[in-house]
Amino acid sequence: MASESDAGGGSILSHSELDGQIERLKRRENLTEKEIRVLCSQAKEILSKEENMHTVPAPVTVVGDIHGQFYDLLELFRIAGDAPNTNFVFLGDYVDRGYYSVECATLVVLLKTRFPSRVCLLRGNHESRQITQVYGFYDECLRKFGTAEVWLEFVEVFDYLPLAASVAGKIFCPHAGLSPSIDTVDQLQGLSRKQEVPHEGPICDLVWSDPDDNMGWGISPRGAGYTFGPDITEQFNHNNGFNFVVRAHQLVMEGFQWAHPNLCVTVFSAPNYCYRCGNQAAIMLVDENMNHSFIRYDASPERGDKDRRRVPDYFL
């Protein structure tokens, strides 16, 4: 392990140390505050070298919202395989609402740090200071560590997360959707992303917007981002050479759903969301020939020691 004297960020975790931490976490042993500090420092160094839209090769598995459901995340790996044998694009929303946001955030950051070319982590609307102080991650850090230091370390990492991914230049992967401020990938690449998610503008839109049946741009009922119609998606795909958009951000009961047929699909990877929605989850597989398919799955039978009195009452 990195020594205490190195915990400010000067240490580099070896592959064997990272492997050991991944195994500990899968046994539900949280890392220490000092270990998380070193991990987050190393993760920021890796993420700082990635563009706003990170290009990944096929084959790859695309994962939607996780929302602190750690046992369901482990179930996902049982179904999809583990890195580095499986390549992953995670579309964001690792934290909040579930009971194990610390474990989920730690595991995905560990995997990114250990296998940087095999794991792509994107930013969701919940990877922000404001949202995590309302929907659970901040309070969970206080409860599990006694201070806000771990929360502060992770939200700094969140500022470095890319805003989108491209699978071989043919599939566009944002957390949520499109923006009236972004017509081309070049405009996306030109944004300055290392900041808290703004209340408006293109970064906000990428993590908040939703597809809609109505044509054109609309006012979002969420109070952030926009709704965008199939004409918007078709034009964006045409302008940038994409076949379709895959995004997360919305609960869909069967795990995935085509919002705009053959143009935009929603993938949601938190089964039985909030431990009571009864939905299936899904992941999207893209093979080496760019053929895509979906795997649906149910919640893990393992639930851990969650406190049922803390069941959240929000479903956005």
Side-chain angles (χ1 to χ4, degrees), residues 204-217:
C204 171
D205 301 339
L206 288 164
V207 302
W208 277 101
S209 293
D210 294 305
D212 192 72
D213 291 337
N214 295 316
M215 295 293 185
W217 296 101

Side-chain angles (χ1 to χ4, degrees), residues 22-265:
I22 290 168
E23 288 310 309
R24 282 170 53 202
L25 198 64
K26 287 182 175 180
R27 297 195 303 265
R28 275 297 321 285
E29 295 177 28
N30 270 322
L31 305 191
T32 67
E33 187 178 310
K34 290 185 174 68
E35 288 171 329
I36 289 174
R37 192 178 308 140
V38 176
L39 171 66
C40 287
S41 175
Q42 196 162 330
K44 284 185 289 186
E45 185 70 24
I46 291 166
L47 291 165
S48 69
K49 296 179 172 67
E50 297 186 349
E51 294 185 293
N52 291 337
M53 186 187 78
H54 185 57
T55 299
V56 301
V60 68
T61 295
V62 181
V63 180
D65 294 21
I66 295 167
H67 278 307
Q69 297 183 198
F70 184 65
Y71 290 93
D72 297 320
L73 179 58
L74 296 182
E75 181 76 5
L76 184 159
F77 289 128
R78 282 192 284 272
I79 294 165
D82 287 309
N85 298 319
T86 302
N87 300 323
F88 288 98
V89 171
F90 290 91
L91 297 176
D93 278 14
Y94 315 106
V95 299
D96 287 339
R97 300 207 171 95
Y99 297 113
Y100 302 104
S101 290
V102 168
E103 288 82 353
C104 288
T106 306
L107 183 54
V108 296
V109 172
L110 274 169
L111 292 171
K112 176 63 187 178
T113 306
R114 175 62 179 88
F115 307 110
S117 65
R118 299 289 191 174
V119 175
C120 173
L121 301 184
L122 303 184
R123 190 172 200 171
N125 61 307
H126 280 262
E127 276 70 61
S128 81
R129 291 160 183 79
Q130 183 177 5
I131 298 296
T132 52
Q133 287 183 77
V134 175
Y135 291 109
F137 183 40
Y138 176 82
D139 291 333
E140 184 184 320
C141 290
L142 286 182
R143 193 167 66 246
K144 290 178 176 176
F145 294 94
T147 75
E149 288 304 311
V150 165
W151 175 79
L152 287 167
E153 292 291 340
F154 277 118
V155 293
E156 280 197 16
V157 172
F158 296 162
D159 288 344
Y160 284 77
L161 293 172
L163 302 171
S166 159
V167 179
K170 291 300 180 184
I171 302 173
F172 182 63
C173 314
H175 170 67
L178 305 180
S179 170
S181 303
I182 299 174
D183 295 318
T184 67
V185 164
D186 286 346
Q187 291 172 315
L188 194 165
Q189 298 289 34
L191 299 173
S192 177
R193 77 172 187 263
K194 296 183 184 69
Q195 57 177 301
E196 171 72 342
V197 175
H199 294 291
E200 59 184 9
I203 294 176
C204 171
D205 301 339
L206 288 164
V207 302
W208 277 101
S209 293
D210 294 305
D212 192 72
D213 291 337
N214 295 316
M215 295 293 185
W217 296 101
I219 301 299
S220 173
R222 296 179 185 266
Y226 293 86
T227 62
F228 56 97
D231 57 326
I232 302 294
T233 307
E234 186 171 21
Q235 187 64 52
F236 181 83
N237 289 341
H238 176 76
N239 288 348
N240 297 283
F242 293 123
N243 295 337
F244 65 93
V245 176
V246 58
R247 43 87 69 178
H249 192 51
Q250 284 179 299
L251 167 66
V252 286
M253 291 304 292
E254 295 185 348
F256 76 94
Q257 180 175 304
W258 286 94
H260 299 153
N262 301 317
L263 294 173
C264 179
V265 65

